[in-house]
Amino acid sequence: MLQYEKEFLDKMEMIMVSINKKLRPLIEKNMQPFGITGPQYHIMKMLKREGPARATQLADMMNVKPSAITVIIDRLIERGLVERCHSDTDRRVVMMQLTKAGEELVETVGISFRQLMGTFFSHFSNAELMTFYQLYKKLDQVIDEVLSEEK
């Protein structure tokens, strides 16, 4: 590895750790009034975007084991935010879907999250935001590609 690559990767590691350390507690604090965790919100967002899904599909989307998803889903069901339903095409298949209360909560938390992140992103120009988004999206795609090659 070339020296500049090492220096660059060291800097990237430090900034990614720094941003994560600062944002994680802010996001958790932002979620507290709604009584849900980040992973619960993430599952609810996926259900809102994708529609009804099997637990294994949700686990794949979150890159976790299905058993981890089951615990999160059970808590969301207890709160009346998610419900189990049967597939229209195969009654043996159990799907998860948002309830009306779940849909409303996703929208409310989304507004709060956008306000929080907006306080940071308001310091950037539209061009900077577009560049940031495009590079972040590309990094996400590259990570997906590398992970799929490892399987």
Side-chain angles (χ1 to χ4, degrees):
M1 179 181 298
L2 299 174
Q3 182 60 31
Y4 76 90
E5 289 176 326
K6 181 188 179 314
E7 290 173 15
F8 172 77
L9 293 175
D10 286 346
K11 288 178 183 179
M12 285 300 295
E13 177 186 13
M14 293 303 293
I15 197 68
M16 290 171 76
V17 167
S18 175
I19 290 169
N20 190 38
K21 256 175 111 172
K22 293 171 189 170
L23 277 182
R24 183 176 297 231
L26 287 174
I27 291 169
E28 287 174 4
K29 183 179 177 185
N30 191 58
M31 297 266 205
Q32 279 179 342
F34 306 106
I36 60 170
T37 64
Q40 288 172 334
Y41 177 66
H42 190 61
I43 287 174
M44 292 172 66
K45 277 282 281 197
M46 285 189 293
L47 288 172
K48 183 167 176 84
R49 186 180 61 239
E50 304 293 330
R54 294 175 23 214
T56 53
Q57 292 170 308
L58 294 170
D60 287 345
M61 287 187 260
M62 289 188 67
N63 292 319
V64 298
K65 294 181 180 178
S67 59
I69 290 293
T70 302
V71 172
I72 297 169
I73 290 171
D74 286 345
R75 289 192 181 123
L76 292 170
I77 289 171
E78 287 171 13
R79 294 217 25 226
L81 301 171
V82 169
E83 61 189 0
R84 288 184 175 94
C85 61
H86 292 280
S87 167
D88 293 336
T89 57
D90 185 346
R91 300 287 301 155
R92 297 170 296 176
V93 176
V94 177
M95 309 287 281
M96 308 304 145
Q97 68 182 16
L98 285 177
T99 62
K100 182 75 173 153
E103 289 178 11
E104 291 170 1
L105 186 61
V106 168
E107 186 58 36
T108 302
V109 174
I111 291 168
S112 179
F113 180 77
R114 288 187 294 277
Q115 287 173 342
L116 172 67
M117 295 309 291
T119 61
F120 307 121
F121 289 135
S122 66
H123 296 272
F124 297 89
S125 70
N126 285 342
E128 289 171 323
L129 290 172
M130 249 352 249
T131 300
F132 179 78
Y133 172 76
Q134 290 166 345
L135 292 172
Y136 222 62
K137 184 176 179 180
K138 184 175 182 177
L139 177 60
D140 185 52
Q141 291 168 341
V142 168
I143 291 169
D144 283 343
E145 289 170 13
V146 170
L147 290 176
S148 70
E149 290 170 7
E150 291 178 357
K151 289 183 179 178

